[in-house]
Structures are given as C-alpha cells and as structure tokens.
Amino acid sequence: MKSGWQGLGWCALLLAGTVGAFVAVQDEASAQDALEIGHYGDPLPEWRINGTNTFRAEQSGVAGDASANPNPDNAFDFFDEVHLDLERRYSPWNFLRGSFDGVVNNSEFRSANRGIVPERANLTWTRGDGSVPLRAEAGDFFGFYSFRTLQRALKGGQLELQPQVGWLDGTHSLQFSSGSNQQTYVGSAFENWFDDYFNGASWLTENGGSTYSFSLVHGFRQADGATPDRNQVTGSFAGVHDRRVGSQILSFEGEMALLNGDIGNGGAGQTDVLDYSMLVQVSGRSESSPLTYSFRFDQTGAEFQPNGGVVSS
C-alpha cells in the first residue's frame, strides 16, 4: 500500500518549489523581455506564437506488500511537456500554421524514450488565393480517405489541390498522402520508417447535393511475430446524394472497396488475395420531426483486411 502522508508531503514540497521557481523566473523574464523588445523591437513581428509547459514529478513509497507498487524502485520520476502553436498570416487566404509537442522525459511511465523526445510536429501552408488553391502539410497529419481505405494518424506529408476542371461542374479536391505510423521522431522512428507506411491518392468532387470520391492506397507492414509481411493495395469508390422526397429529407450513401495483396492474423497468412467490402445506407428525417431513421446494409469478405482502414472482416 502506498504511504499517503509521504505522497502528500512530496507533492506539497514539489508544488511549492515549482510555483516559487516559476514566479521568480516569470518576473525576471517579463522585465528582461520588456527591456529587450523596447530597445530592439519585436524579433518576430509577423508570427503569432503561444504555448504551454507542464512539469510533473512523482516520488512513491510503499508500506506493506512491495509487489503492489507500480514503481518498485521507488525512483524519483519526472517529465516536462512542451506544446507550441505558431501562425504567420500573409493574407486572409494565405497563411502558415504549425504546432509542436515534445517532452523532456525521465519517467518510464511517460515514454519508453528518455531525454528530449519530439513527439508531434506539424507545419501547414494554406493558400486559397492562387490559381489552384492548395494545402500542404509536413510532419504529423491525419490521413483519411474512407473507413475502408485509410484512416490513420501518420508522420510524413500530405498535399491537397482544388483545381477547376473545365469539363466537369462542381468543386474538386485532389489529395496525395505519404506517411509512416510512428509515435515519435527519435532515431528508432527513422530506422523503422518503412516498417509500417502508406502512400495514397484521392479525388473528391461535389456538385449540388451529390458528393463522390475515388481513392487508392498502397500500404506495407513488416512482419510482426508470426504474421508475415503485408503488402497490399486498396481502392474505393464512394458517394453521397441528398434529396428531398415530399416532406422527407433523405441521404443515400454507398461505398465499394476492393483489396488486393497480403493479409495475415498470425500463422502463415495469405498472399495475393482479392476481396471486397461494400456499404449501402439510406437515412432521413421528416421535415416536421426531429427524429431520424436509417436503413443500412454492409457486407465484408473474410479476406478484406486493409492495413490502413478501420473496416475489416
């Protein structure tokens, strides 16, 4: 059993020390910054930067059964988390945004890595006033095409273009993604970059009450234990059409996806399989009622096991 008075004592001591140090450093930094800015000017006048810093520490002790202690060495563990947001606007339609999350870690419960650990970082450039509106991301991004092809948090890069297609009405979006499934940016992440990575492209078009998309994803996952390498390609065609029928506001949704490649849930696995997954759904509501209803049919083959999707057999 953990000693309650000892834990409270350490917490009170650490809190008092941390708050006192923070107040002293904060006052000194504020006076110094005011002097420097007044003399030299703002060093980053066009950037908006804000962030947070959180320091945590723990010292545990045990009275009684030592096996019940999650920290059997009774070590003094601590970590310091840093979060930053930044933005640079060139115009309302042309701007850069970035973020960074990292930790200075000395706790085995916070991360498997010690020292300075950069965990997440993203820099996004959005430009909507050019001949082809675009959004480019580098670092951490969320890759999402459809539930059957790609829905993963990745590290890498993503580019979205919104061209005007003369012979097609409506708006269009072309998206290209390439990334790896990694938790941090430490050395082991780069060494294992191609152990679990994805490359994909998607085209989405909207016209009136209809939205259609086509996506294609290549994914590779290295062998893990008894499961062999999985090299596969998944393609999908999906659509949504909204329509009013009398007093009913209806939405028709559908997706058809095909997978070709390797699968495996342990054992020998299978290579070069071909399988599918499909969805048909009709949902709606009455104009005079807040209640909604839906009718859904979906079918997924036993060998449809995409690396990047969340719908699987």
Side-chain angles (χ1 to χ4, degrees), residues 125-137:
W125 176 37
T126 301
R127 181 167 187 179
D129 56 357
S131 57
V132 178
L134 64 86
R135 182 178 62 185
E137 294 184 78

Side-chain angles (χ1 to χ4, degrees), residues 210-226:
S210 300
T211 302
Y212 300 100
S213 71
F214 174 76
S215 56
L216 191 66
V217 176
H218 168 249
F220 175 82
R221 182 175 297 172
Q222 193 179 48
D224 182 13

